[in-house]
């Protein structure tokens, strides 16, 4: 079998059925245009080549969004603390230690001898300037949730910083440990937001060596990365490029021009299994899929019988096994069971279309029911999955008027009560605490459409308590009521497929952050 024929076998069926001559021409063009001589993979030049499916708009992390931007920041920058994704333990990083002096105050003692990529020393001035800037609403940090809890940061001495919260917030350390990189204050003031976006300077295990803005970044191991860092940097270069087309990534993977690609379909994963030189892996991640049901007055879903009927109508197990696959599992609660506080002792709804029809008839919809369905556009909300869910709903008489929107637009429509249900996914920013999911959807957030003040009160107590047992108790009570009232159709935990050059040792973590600084050659 020729290399071209081998490649053809791994293309989607529609492409395989297209003209082989046309495909050959496209493949030759792609090979010459994309895989130029400056791209090579493997141990020979100590470069890990990574394929990204979407661009990174800016390297000024606080101004960017999306998973690629988040894991890029973990390589260029460091945070005061670091969360070990495997153990869940929060360990020292730029701070050698920390102490809660009361429920709203944390004091950090900084390591001495930490260098930025430009050779300057890390001091309290850098930490204070970074945190106060990021917490200022005028600065416009994209992830406001990561910084809105900060009241102020103060310098106690050159290597000690006090951070004061607006109110007790037990998830604060999670944000500190993964989402608040520290910038050099003098350099940032000199170059500004725009200059920093093009030439960032951090203390991370890798520094920026070269880039084509938006599409290509070459990182080089930072030789002066501080001793005692929880991050590694065994591989000398990490080359990240944007290849929007999965087929282009596949070509690179099979010709050893790419060492890592991710987030491809189960069908492609099956086709790649057993191929020489490629390791196919699947990782369970924090993200879940769910269907939010809007109980606002005047909606069909304001009737609890309708909400319970919809829960009984969806064959979650069958859809999960046939379409989602991998390490996913069906859930009955409004969170991911691996998250702190995620109680699974809740009402569950079995697949029972007869019961669903009976409940709909009882609610006055025996002749059928139209629903306005909002679909959140996301790689984790596939067309096949949506079609399968709607097919199940159609079996019990539900007709769907469908609209698909990106999260920002979908969120606005949901807040304005424009739709009856929303098929969505939620990643909790990779944070293993139900405050990042249950409280976001059912707490004081404007996304909460339930109007259920009992749930809000329970979540407010849990979100602000520093007593873990109190938090667990209140979250359990809230989750039980959410399930009893059928405010959601929880679907399943999500997973991602990823592929590696088989010369690479690397594991994707459950928080959906690719820590390539932990990669090594075999």
């Amino acid at each position: 079998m020729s290399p071209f024929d081998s490649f053809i076998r791994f293309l989607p069926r529609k492409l395989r059925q297209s003209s082989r001559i046309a495909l050959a021409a496209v493949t030759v063009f792609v090979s010459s245009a994309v895989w130029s001589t400056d791209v090579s993979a493997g141990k020979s030049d100590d470069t890990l080549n990574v394929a990204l499916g979407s661009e990174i708009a800016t390297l000024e992390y606080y101004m960017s969004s999306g998973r690629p931007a988040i894991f890029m920041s973990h390589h260029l920058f460091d945070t005061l603390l670091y969360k070990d994704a495997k153990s869940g333990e929060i360990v020292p990083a730029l701070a050698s230690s920390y102490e809660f002096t009361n429920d709203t105050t944390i004091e950090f003692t900084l390591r001495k001898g930490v260098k930025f990529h430009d050779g300057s020393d890390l001091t309290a001035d850098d930490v204070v300037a970074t945190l106060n800037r990021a917490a200022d609403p005028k600065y416009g940090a994209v992830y406001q949730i990561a910084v809105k809890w900060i009241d102020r940061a103060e310098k106690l001495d050159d290597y000690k910083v006090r951070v004061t919260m607006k109110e007790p917030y037990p998830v604060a350390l999670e944000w500190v440990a993964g989402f608040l990189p520290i910038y050099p204050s003098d350099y940032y003031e000199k170059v500004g937001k725009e200059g920093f976006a093009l030439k960032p300077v951090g203390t991370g295990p890798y520094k920026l060596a070269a880039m084509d803005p938006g599409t290509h970044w070459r990182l080089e191991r930072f030789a002066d990365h501080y001793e005692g860092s929880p991050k590694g940097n065994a591989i000398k270069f990490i080359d990240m490029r944007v290849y929007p087309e999965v087929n282009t990534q596949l070509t690179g993977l099979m010709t050893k021009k790419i060492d890592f690609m991710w987030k491809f379909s189960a069908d492609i994963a099956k086709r790649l299994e057993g191929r020489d030189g490629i390791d196919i892996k699947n990782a369970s991640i924090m993200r879940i899929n769910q269907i939010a049901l809007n109980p606002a007055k005047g909606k069909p879903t304001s009737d609890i019988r309708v909400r319970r009927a919809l829960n009984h109508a969806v064959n979650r197990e069958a859809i999960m096994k046939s379409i989602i696959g991998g390490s996913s599992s069906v859930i009955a609660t409004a969170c991911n069971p691996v998250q702190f506080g995620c109680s699974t002792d809740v009402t569950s709804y079995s697949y029972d279309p007869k019961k669903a029809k009976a409940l709909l008839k009882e609610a006055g919809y025996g002749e059928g029911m139209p629903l306005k369905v909002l679909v959140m556009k996301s790689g984790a909300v596939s067309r096949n999955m949506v079609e399968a869910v709607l097919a199940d709903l159609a079996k019990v008489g539900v007709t769907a008027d469908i609209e698909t929107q990106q999260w920002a637009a979908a969120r606005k429509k949901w807040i304005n009560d424009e739709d009856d249900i929303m098929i969505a996914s939620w990643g909790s920013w990779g944070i293993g605490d139900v405050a990042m999911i249950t409280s976001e959807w059912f707490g004081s957030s404007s996304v909460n459409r339930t109007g259920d003040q009992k749930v809000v009160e329970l979540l407010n107590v849990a979100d602000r308590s520093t007593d873990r047992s109190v938090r667990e108790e209140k979250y359990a009570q809230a989750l039980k009521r959410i399930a009893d009232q059928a405010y959601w159709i929880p679907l399943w935990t999500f997973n991602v497929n990823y592929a590696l050059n088989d010369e690479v040792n690397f594991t994707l973590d459950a928080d959906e952050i690719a820590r390539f600084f932990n990669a090594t050659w075999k």
Side-chain angles (χ1 to χ4, degrees):
M1 182 179 290
S2 71
F4 177 70
D5 288 328
S6 179
F7 171 66
I8 288 289
R9 289 194 304 119
F10 292 92
L11 292 177
R13 183 175 298 172
K14 288 184 179 179
L15 281 181
R16 297 202 313 273
Q17 292 172 343
S18 300
S19 165
R20 293 180 64 83
I21 295 176
L23 277 171
V26 170
T27 304
V28 170
F29 172 77
V30 168
S31 296
S32 60
V34 177
W35 310 117
S36 56
T37 55
D38 65 331
V39 181
S40 56
K43 300 178 182 179
S44 59
D45 62 353
D46 207 5
T47 299
L48 183 74
N49 284 287
V50 173
L52 303 179
S54 59
E55 67 179 32
I56 300 172
T58 172
L59 296 183
E60 211 290 33
Y61 163 75
Y62 290 100
M63 296 295 110
S64 195
S65 63
R67 288 289 156 180
I70 292 173
F71 63 68
M72 175 71 80
S73 77
H74 279 257
H75 293 77
L76 295 176
F77 309 110
D78 287 311
T79 46
L80 291 171
L81 304 172
Y82 178 81
K83 184 173 181 178
D84 185 303
K86 306 246 179 337
S87 69
E89 183 182 2
I90 291 177
V91 300
L94 294 179
S96 58
S97 64
Y98 68 94
E99 177 186 9
F100 278 89
T101 57
N102 57 51
D103 285 353
T104 58
T105 306
I106 318 173
E107 292 185 357
F108 296 92
T109 299
L110 305 183
R111 291 181 189 267
K112 296 181 180 179
V114 177
K115 296 285 186 183
F116 284 101
H117 299 157
D118 63 357
S120 61
D121 294 315
L122 170 78
T123 69
D125 292 325
D126 303 302
V127 177
V128 169
T130 299
L131 297 184
N132 284 335
R133 183 192 308 113
D136 185 348
K138 295 178 182 177
Y139 175 62
V142 170
Y143 291 118
Q144 281 294 307
I145 189 171
V147 295
K148 66 181 183 180
W149 56 274
I150 299 174
D151 180 53
R152 64 189 180 278
E154 304 168 87
K155 175 181 176 180
L156 301 182
D157 62 38
D158 283 348
Y159 291 95
K160 196 160 189 176
V161 173
R162 176 185 294 144
V163 176
T164 303
M165 309 177 204
K166 294 175 181 175
E167 60 185 1
Y169 185 51
V171 187
L173 290 183
E174 294 270 4
W175 291 116
V176 170
F179 292 82
L180 303 181
I182 303 303
Y183 293 169
S185 57
D186 289 344
Y187 177 74
Y188 194 94
E189 288 299 318
K190 178 182 176 181
V191 301
K193 187 182 296 184
E194 291 76 16
F196 197 85
L198 293 173
K199 195 175 180 181
V201 169
T203 62
Y206 288 86
K207 61 183 180 180
L208 184 68
M211 76 167 180
D212 297 317
T215 61
H216 173 216
W217 305 265
R218 185 168 178 83
L219 309 184
E220 182 179 0
R221 182 169 56 214
F222 180 40
D224 291 328
H225 193 226
Y226 65 93
E227 185 177 350
S229 169
K231 300 178 181 180
N233 57 2
I235 294 176
K236 186 173 183 180
F237 296 104
I238 301 174
D239 204 90
M240 301 187 191
R241 292 174 185 255
V242 176
Y243 303 110
E245 297 297 326
V246 173
N247 294 328
T248 308
Q249 297 182 29
L250 282 170
T251 305
L253 183 69
M254 291 187 287
T255 56
K256 295 287 188 179
K257 300 296 184 180
I258 281 178
D259 297 304
F260 172 89
M261 64 177 286
W262 72 333
K263 294 190 174 181
F264 48 85
S265 69
D267 179 62
I268 290 177
K270 288 178 182 177
R271 293 175 183 277
L272 287 171
E273 283 179 2
R275 185 171 177 84
D276 290 343
I278 297 174
D279 282 342
I280 304 299
K281 297 190 177 185
N282 179 269
S284 179
I285 57 176
M286 205 73 69
R287 186 172 298 278
I288 69 167
N289 282 124
Q290 78 276 8
I291 304 174
L293 309 179
N294 190 347
K297 187 177 180 180
K299 298 285 184 187
T301 41
S302 65
D303 190 321
I304 192 171
R305 293 169 296 185
V306 171
R307 299 197 300 272
R308 288 173 175 168
L310 297 179
N311 267 271
H312 283 299
V314 179
N315 192 343
R316 298 174 299 157
E317 189 74 34
I319 296 173
M320 186 273 294
K321 286 182 177 178
S322 64
I323 295 176
I324 308 302
S327 53
S328 291
S329 58
V330 168
I331 55 174
T333 191
C335 47
N336 190 316
V338 302
Q339 294 177 296
F340 171 80
C342 186
S343 172
T344 57
D345 183 18
V346 299
T347 300
S348 60
Y349 298 86
S350 60
Y351 175 56
D352 192 338
K354 288 183 179 180
K355 190 170 186 177
K357 287 181 179 180
L359 285 167
L360 289 175
K361 184 177 181 179
E362 185 181 325
Y365 296 101
E367 300 302 316
M369 181 179 64
L371 283 182
K372 293 189 68 177
V373 178
L374 179 61
V375 177
M376 188 180 93
K377 190 173 183 180
S378 163
V381 183
S382 70
R383 179 177 176 179
N384 288 347
M385 183 265 278
V386 172
E387 289 175 348
V389 167
L390 296 181
D392 279 349
L393 295 181
K395 291 174 186 176
V396 299
V398 174
T399 56
D401 177 13
I402 309 165
E403 181 179 4
T404 301
Q405 294 284 355
Q406 297 282 2
W407 169 240
R411 181 180 184 276
K412 184 176 181 180
K413 286 176 64 63
W414 190 249
I415 289 172
N416 291 336
D417 292 327
E418 295 180 30
D419 297 277
D420 302 318
I421 73 174
M422 176 162 57
I423 303 175
S425 75
W426 195 255
S428 299
W429 296 273
I431 289 179
D433 194 296
V434 298
M436 296 297 100
I437 179 168
T438 312
S439 298
E440 285 298 303
W441 283 87
F442 301 101
S444 300
S445 165
S446 57
V447 175
N448 178 14
R449 312 313 302 155
T450 69
D452 193 325
Q453 288 305 306
K454 289 183 180 179
V455 173
V456 171
E457 290 168 9
L458 288 167
L459 293 176
N460 282 343
V461 172
D463 291 345
R464 290 163 177 77
S465 176
T466 55
D467 186 324
R468 287 175 67 87
S469 62
V470 170
R471 298 189 72 211
E472 285 182 313
E473 177 188 358
K474 299 303 179 182
Y475 283 137
Q477 292 173 8
L479 287 162
K480 188 176 189 308
R481 181 169 174 81
I482 290 165
D484 287 344
Q485 294 296 310
Y487 291 136
W488 263 18
I489 306 175
L491 296 175
W492 41 71
T493 60
F494 205 69
N495 67 82
V496 295
N497 294 306
Y498 64 105
L500 297 168
N501 176 339
D502 66 359
E503 293 184 306
V504 180
N505 282 310
F506 177 76
T507 301
L508 184 67
D509 294 314
D511 59 7
E512 213 174 337
I513 296 173
R515 295 174 171 84
F516 298 119
F517 50 76
N518 287 333
T520 59
W521 300 116
K522 292 180 180 178

